Amino acid sequence: MHMLLVEDDDRMAQALATALARRGHTVRRVVRAAEALRHVREAEFVLLDLGLPDLDGLDLLRKLRTVCAVPLIVVTARSEERDVLQGLRAGADDYVVKPFRMAELIARIDTVRRRTAAAPEPAGGQRQVRTGDVTIDPAARTVTVGGAEVRLTRREFDVLALLAAQPGDVRSREEILDRIWGDAFLASSRSLDVHVAGIRAKTGRAALVRTIRGYGYQLGALEGR
């Protein structure tokens, strides 16, 4: 892949570039947010540090997500739970805290690459699903609430589309993580919870995703509005 590395630390950038090159990837390293925005459309994968000299990395992540959906992993020293949640909510596919083992980062890159290679096809065809005033269109990858489109991240939509594929079925956490993240044992990750919270907040319909305590999630049966 052609990787975009957004990293202002020279030693870290050199180590990452060397490890990625050994895996057969080409790397463009940039230091500033403005450079990242200029080159992101050329990239097939992005590694993003949050401590940049010209713009906070979370703000850059939000800007990047308005112009592209390229797979992206945040690689940063920020380890507070608030930062992790903000990164995932802003559209990161994964979040790795420095210091880290290079082998672990490479494995995470491979996992994100596999799961973003093709969005999972919802079972039961590409039909639209309505619940209350919410319409989910898997083919067009759109969600409307009261006729107005709501913008979800790629992962948020994938989770919602999976639940909508069989509206009456309850999906276990393990199944969702396996189908969407490619890893049924990602139990230590808050990614699924964060994305469910994002769906609820962005649609303004807290009951759209129903929690089945101790098991998983189900598409909520909303009343018409």
Side-chain angles (χ1 to χ4, degrees):
M1 292 183 295
H2 179 56
M3 312 278 288
L4 179 63
L5 174 60
V6 189
E7 171 63 70
D8 68 337
D9 183 281
D10 291 337
R11 291 181 62 185
M12 175 61 70
Q14 181 60 46
L16 285 169
T18 299
L20 293 169
R22 286 174 179 165
R23 297 279 297 184
H25 304 303
T26 61
V27 181
R28 178 189 291 274
R29 183 252 179 138
V30 299
V31 174
R32 296 181 175 275
E35 296 175 292
L37 287 165
R38 185 161 61 249
H39 293 293
V40 70
R41 289 182 179 83
E42 307 162 8
E44 297 173 272
F45 205 106
V46 176
L47 296 178
L48 172 64
D49 182 28
L50 298 184
L52 302 177
D54 58 336
L55 184 69
D56 182 79
L58 286 172
D59 291 331
L60 172 59
L61 174 54
R62 296 183 186 101
K63 288 178 180 290
L64 291 173
R65 281 299 180 234
T66 66
V67 298
C68 72
V70 64
L72 183 151
I73 295 179
V74 167
V75 183
T76 181
R78 297 186 193 176
S79 59
E80 295 293 328
E81 183 179 30
R82 180 182 64 179
D83 294 316
V84 177
L85 297 181
Q86 286 180 334
L88 294 171
R89 286 172 181 150
D93 292 290
D94 205 345
Y95 193 107
V96 176
V97 176
K98 300 174 184 177
F100 54 85
R101 292 189 177 97
M102 194 64 72
E104 178 189 354
L105 177 62
I106 296 298
R108 287 176 179 262
I109 290 171
D110 290 342
T111 298
V112 169
R113 184 186 185 186
R114 285 195 303 270
R115 75 190 188 212
T116 56
E121 293 292 335
Q126 294 285 313
R127 59 187 175 84
Q128 291 186 2
V129 176
R130 286 186 58 86
T131 176
D133 64 343
V134 178
T135 300
I136 303 156
D137 188 336
R141 295 185 64 81
T142 59
V143 178
T144 58
V145 179
E149 185 173 348
V150 175
R151 294 181 63 86
L152 300 181
T153 67
R154 179 178 60 244
R155 287 289 159 250
E156 288 168 348
F157 184 85
D158 288 345
V159 170
L160 186 58
L162 179 60
L163 298 178
Q166 298 290 341
D169 290 359
V170 178
R171 305 281 187 171
S172 70
R173 290 180 60 87
E174 291 77 13
E175 179 185 2
I176 298 170
L177 289 167
D178 183 50
R179 291 284 299 277
I180 306 302
W181 275 264
D183 185 354
F185 300 99
L186 204 64
S188 61
S189 172
R190 293 289 305 278
S191 292
L192 177 54
D193 302 318
V194 169
H195 286 75
V196 168
I199 294 167
R200 290 168 172 162
K202 291 176 181 178
T203 60
R205 303 290 182 266
L208 179 60
V209 178
R210 181 183 175 214
T211 300
I212 308 301
R213 189 174 298 278
Y215 186 75
Y217 295 99
Q218 180 186 38
L219 188 71
L222 305 182
E223 297 182 359
R225 290 173 179 255

